[in-house]
Amino acid sequence: MKSLPVQLNLKKLPVLLWVLAVCLIIVVMYFYCAEVSGSDNIRETVDDGWVLTGTDISVNLADNLSIPKDDDGSYSVSNVLPEDIDDGEVINFHTKSVFFTVYVNGEQRYDYHPEVPATSGRSTGSSYHTVVISSDDSARTVTIVADPVYDDDSCFFRDFSIESPEEYTAQFMRAHVPAAIVCILIVFSGILFALISLLVPEEAEVSSDAILALAGVAITVGGWALTETMFIQYAFHMEAFAHSLNFFLMILMPFPVVSYVNKISARPVRFCTGISMSMTIIVFIICSFLNYSGIKDFHECLPIIHFNIILAALAIIVMVVRSVFYRKHARNKVHSDIRWVWMALFVFGVFVLTDVIRYTLSSHSYPDNSAFTRVGLLLAMLILLVYYIGLVLGAVKSSSENHMFKRMAYVDVMTGLGNRAAFREEEKTYTEHITSGVNSSVICCQFDLNGLKDVNDTQGHAAGDTFIIRAAAAISDIFGGVGSCFRTGGDEFFVFAPDISEDEFADRLKVLSDKYKDISIAYGFCNYRSMSFASIEVAEILADKRMYEMKRKMKDSGTDTPDVESDK
């Protein structure tokens, strides 16, 4: 794939400044919201103080593996509610992959054992819950009987709070909506990439497949990240859908990434994209079979999914190293795309590194450890979006200019019909089509306009030009729908009509004579088939001969509608 040259000049500076300004605004707004969400606005929390029911053994509900369990894998924990609960306050909390029942002083207040659709496996994933309590429940004991779906650290209770649902919703929105907006913008950029790929002209040097693959990257990664923000689960109560979508997008993710990297490489590996697609399909089939058969669900198939992701990452590393090595020894073939990709990857890498440093230095205290990563991905997509928009617009402009030049080269300016050069190209095309069987036959018809010299001599050349234009319009009107029309000389025209019977073509010639009685045109046609003539040129010679025979008859008889001669 070759790319159009990209040069930064002063004309592009305002656009670049606008892009940088938008990026800066997004970053500032995002982390301002994140800072606000980090403040402690919760009236009272009950994350701490949980013990195994009937004992004084403290447990951490966020760490499923550390909690002692009964033989059936369940456990019961208790805590004491605060002494100053107000009416209208409720217990709010977040769970993942846990079924449970909540009791207050032995009275059941909430039960969560939903019917899980087959597409979600054994769990609905993350869920948010509200347990109704009153001021009378102050200082009472709350007990949770829990049944974790899996025996790993993916099952947990966390973010307990006692406050009004409105306060909890406001707190959630401040904490999660900025992340969701970033993910939605990433998905939206993917949709824009897909639309841009449709605008790439066929003859352009820009690869529409590469842009489409990048669209797949943005949509799958952005969609997967959106399910991780918990926004879908909380705002729309679509836990099962979000859980299924999370695994489905995780399975799909490696393919568009590998495809994009391969398509922009200096030396693409021909079979790499196909192998990645095959691996993705195989992983999807295996995981779906295991899930629907009840052997293992999607969560338990994570090692298989992660293995495919690791293979894709290794393939990407090999392709990048191979591409860099090739460019080092073939500088004249460097694609400008790679510079923009490196720029986007650099921005993304800086933001990922920022998250890593923040996570390390903060002793893991940040509630969202991928905030900078999401913003970095969005900025990387914006950089590539600006680049490809400019590249495609340039390709569209170039294609338009090429089309104009092609029209000048192959179109008769006076009549708008194909000129002699276009006629020769069509002649070659039909020779190939008849030989290969694309067309079974093609009628070759030669036309000659009578009386042009008299018009020029008596009315002037302007009138003669009008006479030619009217004749061309008449021929195009009758035969344009069934074939290709050309002006091959001053007063000569030609029509190729594929796969049409001689009777139908003869009827159209009769219509031409009847409809345009004021235009005298001689014609002769021949039906070319590969078994009938040595070449299409032989058929054209015969058509030309018949045209002159008709021209002689018209001159001798003085009539405009002599009998039509055919090959029958």
Side-chain angles (χ1 to χ4, degrees), residues 59-69 75 148 150-156:
V59 295
N60 178 9
L61 292 182
D63 185 3
N64 179 57
L65 292 177
S66 68
I67 303 175
K69 300 176 180 62
Y75 61 84
Y150 310 110
D151 187 22
D152 57 33
D153 58 2
S154 67
C155 308
F156 57 74

Side-chain angles (χ1 to χ4, degrees), residues 2-120:
K2 296 181 179 178
S3 302
L4 300 179
V6 179
Q7 296 179 349
L8 183 63
N9 53 48
L10 293 178
K11 293 182 180 180
K12 295 183 180 180
L13 186 57
V15 177
L16 181 61
L17 292 177
W18 272 109
V19 173
L20 294 176
V22 170
C23 294
L24 182 61
I25 291 172
I26 291 174
V27 173
V28 171
M29 290 180 62
Y30 181 82
F31 290 108
Y32 172 76
C33 294
E35 183 67 24
V36 172
S37 68
S39 59
D40 187 8
N41 295 318
I42 299 177
R43 177 182 176 273
E44 186 127 26
T45 64
V46 286
D47 276 323
D48 301 324
W50 292 95
V51 297
L52 287 177
T53 302
T55 72
D56 57 357
I57 301 175
S58 297
V59 295
N60 178 9
L61 292 182
D63 185 3
N64 179 57
L65 292 177
S66 68
I67 303 175
K69 300 176 180 62
D70 297 334
D71 293 339
D72 60 357
S74 64
Y75 61 84
S76 176
V77 293
S78 301
N79 204 343
V80 178
L81 295 174
E83 297 180 355
D84 55 348
I85 297 175
D86 296 329
D87 288 333
E89 293 184 328
V90 296
I91 304 175
N92 306 279
F93 55 97
H94 167 207
T95 68
K96 184 175 181 181
S97 301
V98 182
F99 301 137
F100 60 92
T101 305
V102 179
Y103 301 88
V104 176
N105 265 24
E107 178 188 354
Q108 181 176 317
R109 296 290 181 88
Y110 187 85
D111 181 72
Y112 185 71
H113 288 84
E115 182 177 348
V116 182
T119 54
S120 291

Side-chain angles (χ1 to χ4, degrees), residues 346-391:
F346 174 77
V347 171
F348 180 61
V350 168
F351 278 76
V352 171
L353 183 61
T354 302
D355 261 336
V356 172
I357 295 174
R358 189 174 66 128
Y359 177 80
T360 304
L361 298 181
S362 66
S363 301
H364 320 322
S365 61
Y366 277 100
D368 186 356
N369 294 311
S370 60
F372 279 92
T373 299
R374 283 191 295 269
V375 174
L377 178 59
L378 176 60
L379 294 182
M381 289 300 164
L382 287 177
I383 290 172
L384 293 175
L385 189 62
V386 171
Y387 168 64
Y388 278 115
I389 287 176
L391 204 60

Side-chain angles (χ1 to χ4, degrees), residues 393-411:
L393 288 178
V396 170
K397 181 180 178 181
S398 177
S399 175
S400 178
E401 293 174 349
N402 290 338
H403 179 73
M404 180 182 66
F405 293 142
K406 185 174 182 180
R407 178 176 176 81
M408 292 172 61
Y410 289 99
V411 176

